[in-house]
Amino acid sequence: MIREVFSSIMGEGKFIGKRFIFVRFKECPLDCIYCDEPNAPGGTARVEEISGSCEFMEYLEIEHELIEIIEKLRTPDLFAVSFTGGEPLVYSNKIKEYSEILKHKGYKTFLESNGMFPERLGSYDYASIDIKLPEHFENKDDDFWYGLYKKELETIERLYLAGTDVYAKIVVFEETSEELIERIAIDLSKIGNITLCIQPVSPTDKIKTTTSKKKIFELMAICGKYVDVMCTPQIHKWMGML
Ligand SMILES: C[S@@+](CC[C@H](N)C(=O)[O-])C[C@H]1O[C@@H](n2cnc3c(N)ncnc32)[C@H](O)[C@@H]1O
Ligand SMILES: Nc1nc2[nH]cc(C(=O)O)c2c(=O)[nH]1
Ligand code: SF4
Ligand SMILES: [Mg+2]
């Protein structure tokens, strides 16, 4: 169920630079072409031994020890505990249990999700919902993309109405359509005061180039007509952090 637990600086989205403990769940039903996480269900769980050390111990499973592990990694600058993945809401019932315990211990919780399971949401202090684009999938048709998009908007709206500090994030490519980004910004503005993070794609073995400055400025200016917008490159990769 859990792939890794570690402490780091938030490298993406609205809370970039804040200290987080990341709980990364395994598996994901999607296959985003840019994904920087292996989508393998098996394997062990690795736990950072000392907060920020990047030194890990491997375990078969840590489902029952997670809270104790988080307590050991807690530091005075901790902002929140992030449930990420893979797709964390594959394990929504377990996450609801963990969230309850963490809240009673004074932790804030953060959900990093692809938004495909609006019916599985629990309650979180903060949430980042990724809006996927057609170019993020190699062999999916527009109906698939539009069905996913509607679920992402529903997830954002449910969290917003529940009082979660929720923002949207979009990984953009050089070929990303300005018209589509404008439509997404308009749809987000209709939900409420939703910050939109424009995230240039980080190169991977499949994606060789990142997004140009020119493209980023163009997309930001378009979105700025409708929503609060910020550019959030994955800074942890520049800093050699996890
Ligand atoms: C690995 S996913 C896990 C959480 C959830 N499945 C999701 O898609 O948001 C966490 C975030 O990493 C970001 N990400 C993954 N690979 C990336 C890449 N190559 N460039 C930029 N962002 C990337 C996506 O924005 C995604 O929101
Ligand atoms: N430092 C750091 N920040 C992050 N923000 C979102 C991440 C993710 O993989 O969900 C992530 C991550 O993997 N590392
Ligand atoms: S939804 Fe998230 S974890 Fe799943 S493939 Fe896309 S980026 Fe990776
Ligand atoms: Mg990551």
Side-chain angles (χ1 to χ4, degrees):
M1 185 179 79
I2 296 171
R3 181 176 306 290
E4 60 184 353
V5 187
F6 62 95
S7 168
S8 189
I9 302 294
M10 173 51 78
E12 310 182 15
K14 190 168 136 179
F15 300 111
I16 236 172
K18 295 274 191 185
R19 187 72 176 269
F20 276 71
I21 291 172
F22 294 89
V23 180
R24 189 182 308 287
F25 289 84
K26 295 175 181 171
E27 298 187 62
C28 175
L30 298 185
D31 54 357
C32 306
I33 190 173
Y34 60 75
C35 185
D36 61 6
E37 284 299 329
N39 190 355
T44 55
R46 69 175 192 166
V47 175
E48 191 172 44
E49 286 295 271
I50 297 169
S51 211
S53 67
C54 293
E55 286 164 19
F56 290 86
M57 281 290 283
E58 303 275 342
Y59 300 91
L60 273 179
E61 183 49 82
I62 53 170
E63 180 178 337
H64 304 299
E65 294 77 22
L66 180 64
I67 301 300
E68 185 190 331
I69 291 165
I70 290 171
E71 295 268 61
K72 265 183 67 184
L73 290 174
R74 192 175 200 171
T75 50
D77 56 334
L78 183 70
F79 181 68
V81 175
S82 167
F83 297 116
T84 183
E87 177 44 42
L89 291 186
V90 168
Y91 305 97
S92 54
N93 291 333
K94 205 64 203 155
I95 287 177
K96 284 174 187 163
E97 282 176 40
Y98 290 138
S99 299
E100 275 311 302
I101 300 167
L102 289 170
K103 287 191 177 206
H104 282 113
K105 289 177 173 286
Y107 290 89
K108 299 288 188 191
T109 58
F110 176 95
L111 174 71
E112 182 97 45
S113 172
N114 62 24
M116 69 185 293
F117 296 125
E119 72 286 356
R120 295 190 188 180
L121 290 167
S123 90
Y124 309 91
D125 297 288
Y126 311 101
S128 168
I129 302 303
D130 243 41
I131 294 179
K132 308 299 180 182
L133 301 176
E135 61 266 31
H136 293 169
F137 304 105
E138 280 175 311
N139 49 16
K140 301 275 193 331
D141 61 23
D142 283 352
D143 287 348
F144 168 84
W145 171 78
Y146 187 68
L148 176 59
Y149 178 56
K150 298 306 280 181
K151 286 185 174 172
E152 290 157 352
L153 290 180
E154 183 185 346
T155 295
I156 292 168
E157 183 162 35
R158 284 189 184 208
L159 287 165
Y160 186 76
L161 295 175
T164 297
D165 183 344
V166 57
Y167 64 87
K169 174 152 52 78
I170 309 178
V171 174
V172 295
F173 294 179
E174 197 60 24
E175 71 267 25
T176 291
S177 151
E178 279 91 358
E179 292 73 28
L180 179 56
I181 293 296
E182 182 160 29
R183 171 182 164 191
I184 294 170
I186 292 169
D187 288 344
L188 290 173
S189 69
K190 289 176 183 165
I191 295 174
N193 180 19
I194 307 284
T195 296
L196 173 56
C197 295
I198 296 290
Q199 186 147 309
V201 62
S202 297
T204 66
D205 54 358
K206 281 188 186 172
I207 310 268
K208 298 302 178 203
T209 56
T210 187
T211 320
S212 69
K213 293 192 288 292
K214 179 173 179 295
K215 184 71 176 186
I216 291 168
F217 285 132
E218 279 167 3
L219 294 175
M220 298 272 292
I222 290 167
C223 295
K225 294 187 283 185
Y226 310 100
V227 290
D228 172 45
V229 60
M230 56 192 286
C231 175
T232 59
Q234 291 184 298
I235 62 154
H236 54 294
K237 294 184 177 175
W238 302 1
M239 297 166 74
M241 291 180 176
L242 287 177

